[in-house]
Amino acid sequence: MLFFYLILASSSAMVGQNLTYDYQPVRNLKPSDQMIEEYMRRYYFWGTSNAIEDPKVRTTFKKFIEQKTDFLTALDSMDMLIYGDSMTDLVERIKDNIVAGNPKLKNVEIKIFIYRSMEPNAFSLGEGLILVSTGLLARMPDIAQVAFVLSHEIAHDAMNHVFLNLLRISESLHDAQLKRSFQKANRNKEGRNTQINNVLNDFIAVQMAYSQRNEFEADSLGLVYFQHAGFTVDGAIGALGVLDSADYLMFEDTLDLRHYFNFTGYPFKSYWLDTENSALQWERDTTLFVIPDSLKSHPDCDVRIQRIGELAAATDHTATIDVAEEESVMQMLKDVFQFESLEGQLMSKDYVMALYMSLQLQTHYPENIYLKSVTAHALIELAAAFSRNEFLAYVEFADMNYPSGYNQILTFLHNMNSATLYKLATYCLRDKLALVPDHAYVGFLNTLNEHKDVITEEVVNRYAQQYKDEYFTGMLRDKSKSPLPPSRK
């Protein structure tokens, strides 16, 4: 029981939150600068200290490494990474159970960062660093499912797949035969584009074949780690089933938008749901969306599930692990993962998805202050984008591939203008959040809404003095450096 109480003690601000009332995102718990710099140093060493003889291949490989480090740096600079909180503690505990059951891993450094994203995903960056998304954890309430994903990624790291993949692609791009094939296709006057595309597809197919092979290898070794730790094959199959649904939003149903946007002083307009301004981009043609198996980086989950079943049947692992404590913590955190995914949408400025998620979550937590604030926040930011003539950069058109609920939000937004969006945000703040006392997020939104034309340093200082919140003060200060254009009133 010690782990259970340590989790509660180390994360009372998260686990102890009353989600029916409010939520405070994890904003101050992230990897230290020293930790990030250490991985930057390791990846730099990949690019500079290798045995690649061909200078062109070496240069390309180094560029791939730089892209890899840029990706990690970007996540860190956007505050998307989470570390040292109860979510990380839980996942680290699962990892420790895997290591404890596999003596070969006991001297291997494995570190896990959680990052905010709706997309259910996990991947190895090499050097023992594994990233796990809040979206994945939100969809995997079973500890064994998370354990298989971690075992799979640890296997990738053990087989050095990240380094070898980047090296193989670098070498392939400078292959003499590939260059001759492109030159030959380019010389043809008739069917040139088709032949060039064929060469590209052949190249991609070869690379994806290697990638799929790596996935099978990671499944096989990962299953060994997984079973040695005492987990049963049902967890592995369940995990792959979750990943098979990764292309679908967690929430798909339409919403009663009238319930959220019908105010005494500003009633809901029926034409806001008129589909004329958001007509679907094309009629469904399934041939447009079918990706050949040869061009996929991962094998189909059905195939992976079958192979996992066959591998498990050929082994005899009767020992099981007791993860009742971890399961209890997982149950307490299952909705926290959703809230942090929502925070990630705001951080990445995906205001449409933030609006959609905040409304969907309000069906479960109708009085939650944070969710109501995110709704108002998304409306304000989209109104500002409309004023800057950048609305379409944020709001795409409805699509036959999107679920009905998301298409409904897109339809709703395409029937808006900046003035309407600002009005809706104003009424959300007045009717739903006006009675919230001294709330930093609500205060930030009121400041943003009242000073939409320009945010001066005086406005920032006044907010900082009243709320003493570094996060939102910083956001206001950033906006004050880039004055907003006049709103359309």
Side-chain angles (χ1 to χ4, degrees):
M1 293 295 291
L2 178 61
F3 163 67
F4 182 78
Y5 292 117
L6 285 175
I7 284 284
L8 291 178
S10 67
S11 56
S12 58
M14 177 182 292
V15 175
Q17 293 193 60
N18 180 5
L19 297 182
T20 60
Y21 176 72
D22 198 5
Y23 180 71
Q24 297 294 326
V26 183
R27 295 195 177 113
N28 298 320
L29 295 171
K30 52 180 289 187
S32 66
D33 292 342
Q34 292 81 4
M35 196 177 293
I36 296 295
E37 289 169 2
E38 171 61 20
Y39 283 104
M40 295 297 102
R41 184 191 66 78
R42 295 182 187 185
Y43 297 136
Y44 177 80
F45 185 79
W46 280 20
T48 57
S49 302
N50 53 65
I52 301 174
E53 296 182 358
D54 188 314
K56 292 182 179 180
V57 174
R58 189 186 312 118
T59 298
T60 300
F61 180 75
K62 190 174 181 180
K63 287 181 180 178
F64 279 133
I65 298 301
E66 290 170 354
Q67 291 175 358
K68 175 190 180 67
T69 57
D70 288 345
F71 168 72
L72 185 59
T73 303
L75 286 179
D76 180 54
S77 63
M78 292 171 63
D79 292 330
M80 299 290 277
L81 297 177
I82 307 173
Y83 187 78
D85 65 299
S86 58
M87 293 181 290
T88 309
D89 289 341
L90 174 62
V91 179
E92 285 278 356
R93 173 68 177 187
I94 299 170
K95 179 261 294 182
D96 289 343
N97 285 332
I98 296 168
V99 171
N102 293 274
K104 291 182 179 180
L105 296 176
K106 288 187 177 179
N107 295 322
V108 178
E109 180 186 13
I110 303 169
K111 197 173 295 296
I112 300 172
F113 294 166
I114 290 176
Y115 70 101
R116 296 178 176 90
S117 173
M118 282 181 55
E119 182 180 358
N121 201 2
F123 50 92
S124 167
L125 283 179
E127 293 295 330
L129 180 58
I130 296 170
L131 269 60
V132 179
S133 75
T134 52
L136 179 78
L137 297 170
R139 297 195 189 204
M140 287 189 172
D142 190 304
I143 292 293
Q145 293 175 0
V146 178
F148 179 73
V149 171
L150 296 182
S151 298
H152 175 95
E153 299 306 329
I154 292 170
H156 273 308
D157 191 76
M159 291 182 280
N160 206 21
H161 279 165
V162 177
F163 181 94
L164 294 176
N165 281 347
L166 295 179
L167 177 59
R168 186 192 67 252
I169 294 174
S170 300
E171 292 173 340
S172 299
L173 287 172
H174 295 284
D175 179 72
Q177 180 59 47
L178 177 67
K179 183 177 180 180
R180 286 193 294 269
S181 297
F182 269 114
Q183 289 174 340
K184 180 179 179 180
N186 194 49
R187 284 195 296 267
N188 293 324
K189 295 182 179 180
E190 296 183 3
R192 176 186 301 169
N193 291 340
T194 299
Q195 293 189 45
I196 290 176
N197 284 334
N198 289 339
V199 173
L200 279 172
N201 284 338
D202 288 344
F203 173 79
I204 294 172
V206 170
Q207 304 309 316
M208 293 305 98
Y210 280 111
S211 180
Q212 291 189 21
R213 184 194 67 187
N214 288 347
E215 293 304 316
F216 283 133
E217 289 179 353
D219 277 350
S220 298
L221 181 57
L223 183 64
V224 172
Y225 293 155
F226 178 78
Q227 290 184 308
H228 281 173
F231 294 101
T232 61
V233 69
D234 289 346
I237 292 174
L240 292 173
V242 170
L243 294 175
D244 193 33
S245 65
D247 292 336
Y248 302 95
L249 289 176
M250 198 163 182
F251 302 108
E252 298 191 351
D253 295 335
T254 56
L255 293 155
D256 180 8
L257 295 182
R258 184 180 295 273
H259 170 75
Y260 298 102
F261 301 118
N262 186 43
F263 305 99
T264 302
Y266 195 52
F268 190 88
K269 310 294 191 297
S270 59
Y271 72 82
W272 288 346
L273 296 179
D274 191 333
T275 59
E276 182 179 351
N277 292 326
S278 60
L280 297 177
Q281 291 296 284
W282 51 75
E283 294 297 326
R284 179 175 289 278
D285 179 356
T286 56
T287 62
L288 293 175
F289 312 112
V290 176
I291 300 175
D293 289 343
S294 61
L295 300 184
K296 294 179 181 177
S297 62
H298 285 56
D300 282 344
C301 285
D302 288 344
V303 177
R304 295 173 67 186
I305 288 172
Q306 181 180 350
R307 286 174 61 97
I308 286 291
E310 293 170 353
L311 289 170
T315 59
D316 181 22
H317 290 282
T318 57
T320 58
I321 185 171
D322 182 4
V323 289
E325 294 177 5
E326 290 86 347
E327 292 285 4
S328 296
V329 177
M330 176 68 85
Q331 287 303 308
M332 287 189 290
L333 291 176
K334 63 184 179 66
D335 286 343
V336 169
F337 299 133
Q338 302 244 36
F339 277 78
E340 288 298 333
S341 296
L342 173 56
E343 180 71 7
Q345 299 309 122
L346 285 177
M347 289 179 167
S348 61
K349 299 184 179 180
D350 187 349
Y351 299 119
V352 177
M353 188 58 73
L355 175 63
Y356 180 64
M357 278 191 68
S358 69
L359 295 175
Q360 290 282 4
L361 287 172
Q362 281 178 67
T363 62
H364 302 282
Y365 297 104
E367 301 304 321
N368 186 279
I369 295 170
Y370 172 78
L371 295 178
K372 294 177 181 179
S373 299
V374 172
T375 297
H377 191 176
L379 293 171
I380 291 171
E381 296 290 0
L382 290 170
F386 214 122
S387 297
R388 299 191 304 266
N389 294 316
E390 295 177 356
F391 187 71
L392 292 180
Y394 290 86
V395 186
E396 55 192 334
F397 286 93
D399 191 300
M400 294 295 290
N401 282 331
Y402 298 154
S404 56
Y406 190 64
N407 276 335
Q408 180 194 37
I409 285 293
L410 294 175
T411 296
F412 175 74
L413 291 173
H414 275 286
N415 287 307
M416 298 287 116
N417 56 37
S418 62
T420 305
L421 288 168
Y422 274 129
K423 278 186 179 180
L424 288 176
T426 299
Y427 276 95
C428 283
L429 291 168
R430 288 179 184 175
D431 289 15
K432 299 184 177 184
L433 295 166
L435 298 180
V436 179
D438 299 323
H439 195 283
Y441 195 1
V442 177
F444 164 79
L445 294 174
N446 279 316
T447 301
L448 199 61
N449 198 43
E450 292 168 11
H451 301 276
K452 59 179 69 70
D453 293 339
V454 61
I455 297 176
T456 65
E457 190 65 24
E458 179 184 357
V459 169
V460 177
N461 291 335
R462 188 161 59 245
Y463 173 87
Q465 184 176 7
Q466 180 177 354
Y467 293 99
K468 297 178 174 56
D469 186 284
E470 293 183 4
Y471 181 79
F472 289 116
T473 298
M475 288 184 67
L476 283 175
R477 183 160 286 117
D478 288 342
K479 289 181 178 294
S480 72
K481 296 174 183 177
S482 303
L484 300 175
S487 62
R488 300 175 184 176
K489 298 181 180 177

